Amino acid sequence: PLKAVLDMAGVQQGAKQVTFNGMDGPVSDKTPDFIKALDIDHARDGEVMLAYQMNGEQLPLLNGFPIRLVVPGWQGNVNIKWIRRLQLGDAPWFTREETSKYTELMADGKARGFTWPIYAKSVITYPCPEMPAKGPGVYEIRGLAWSGLGKIKQVDVSLDGGVNWAHARLHGPVLPKALTKFTMEWRWDGRPALLQSRAMDETGFVQPTLTELRAVRGTNAIYNNNSIQTWQIKPDGSVFNVQLA
Ligand SMILES: Nc1nc2c(c(=O)[nH]1)N[C@H]1C(S)=C(S)[C@@H](COP(=O)(O)O)O[C@H]1N2
Ligand SMILES: [Mo]
């Protein structure tokens, strides 16, 4: 736990944020490293980790060896790799990775920032372009759902682009802020289909359609796209990533 390291080092009163410097700079003279900050209370919540192993093995170089940050429920980009330094301060840092990068430009020209928590999302992993359907028959649709706000409560699957929905089966363990596997039987008659999945988490948040998301966020932002995704199935079984208007 990051808390253990901070407790060992000692945190002075008035500390508000802790930054994590990755050693893969330079980005510029002013912000030489890839840096992000956590509020001190969050940093000491006991859940945020400094990871030096993954699945019982040494952390791979590409994933941040020798040590990286892991912030459950937040965007992956916050998980600073190749950490060389922690720094505490009494004011917000507003680093490059919190301002010019990883913010979302809205239609009115203002940017949303510090939008790190991940809202419910899901994807169908089979069938998919790399693993297409092979003619009419019975298939098991498979996918993953997740939410940074808690546990996945329900996943619905549509075969007709969101007109009709049916509950998918969730496979345990269903843990907060973790990937949850879902499946659903699919009897395919060989006609074109539009496969979608829609996750709901334990807070009641329902994954939005792309149209709903765009109505709120506009089209400038590239981050935090948790909208429902569509696989188009052609009669020959091939699968394409499409957007429904
Ligand atoms: N030091 C450092 N940490 C970093 C990054 C980086 O460029 N430098 N990229 C971030 C981004 S954008 C992502 S998506 C994740 C990717 O982690 P992974 O390589 O383990 O998948 O690392 C994050 N941590
Ligand atoms: Mo990323």
Side-chain angles (χ1 to χ4, degrees):
L2 172 61
K3 182 182 187 309
V5 174
L6 291 175
D7 286 350
M8 245 186 290
V11 173
Q12 287 179 21
Q13 204 145 27
K16 289 222 165 56
Q17 283 199 329
V18 49
T19 57
F20 305 83
N21 295 43
M23 47 182 133
D24 53 335
V27 173
S28 77
D29 289 345
K30 279 185 184 156
T31 56
D33 300 324
F34 197 99
I35 306 177
K36 293 241 186 179
L38 284 185
D39 286 342
I40 193 71
D41 289 343
H42 189 184
R44 284 192 292 200
D45 73 356
E47 197 176 68
V48 176
M49 285 170 272
L50 290 171
Y52 55 88
Q53 287 193 331
M54 184 162 72
N55 298 332
E57 294 180 357
Q58 175 184 293
L59 195 59
L61 179 58
L62 285 173
N63 299 110
F65 175 86
I67 197 158
R68 85 177 299 174
L69 183 68
V70 177
V71 184
W74 278 24
Q75 288 178 18
N77 67 66
V78 182
N79 298 333
I80 299 294
K81 302 189 271 191
W82 313 296
I83 288 179
R84 73 157 129 221
R85 184 171 55 178
L86 270 56
Q87 233 181 322
L88 287 109
D90 59 5
W93 252 271
F94 295 112
T95 70
R96 170 185 180 272
E97 318 303 337
E98 297 169 324
T99 50
S100 118
K101 306 299 168 200
Y102 304 108
T103 48
E104 293 144 69
L105 186 61
M106 302 289 285
D108 65 2
K110 290 183 183 168
R112 301 169 80 225
F114 298 91
T115 48
W116 312 125
I118 293 185
Y119 285 77
K121 176 144 177 156
S122 62
V123 289
I124 291 172
T125 55
Y126 176 79
C128 65
E130 295 80 6
M131 292 186 290
K134 290 189 180 118
V138 182
Y139 291 87
E140 181 183 66
I141 293 173
R142 296 192 287 269
L144 296 167
W146 61 91
S147 165
L149 304 187
K151 291 179 191 169
I152 289 296
K153 193 173 171 194
Q154 184 182 315
V155 178
D156 299 325
V157 169
S158 175
L159 307 171
D160 54 13
V163 180
N164 296 287
W165 296 93
H167 293 339
R169 191 152 76 90
L170 301 187
H171 297 256
V174 180
L175 299 171
K177 306 177 184 179
L179 297 176
T180 297
K181 186 181 166 184
F182 65 87
T183 57
M184 202 182 81
E185 189 184 271
W186 178 38
R187 291 175 181 276
W188 189 43
D189 56 12
R191 281 188 298 182
L194 295 166
L195 266 47
Q196 297 184 327
S197 63
R198 178 177 69 186
M200 192 210 286
D201 69 20
E202 63 180 335
T203 72
F205 181 92
V206 180
Q207 193 185 343
T209 64
L210 187 57
T211 308
E212 286 166 345
L213 189 74
R214 282 192 172 146
V216 180
R217 298 268 176 81
T219 54
N220 291 325
I222 58 167
Y223 301 110
N224 279 315
N225 175 2
N226 69 323
S227 67
I228 292 169
Q229 185 260 338
T230 309
W231 290 136
Q232 178 188 37
I233 316 285
K234 300 259 175 107
D236 68 358
S238 57
V239 182
F240 293 86
N241 184 22
V242 298
Q243 296 188 353
L244 299 188

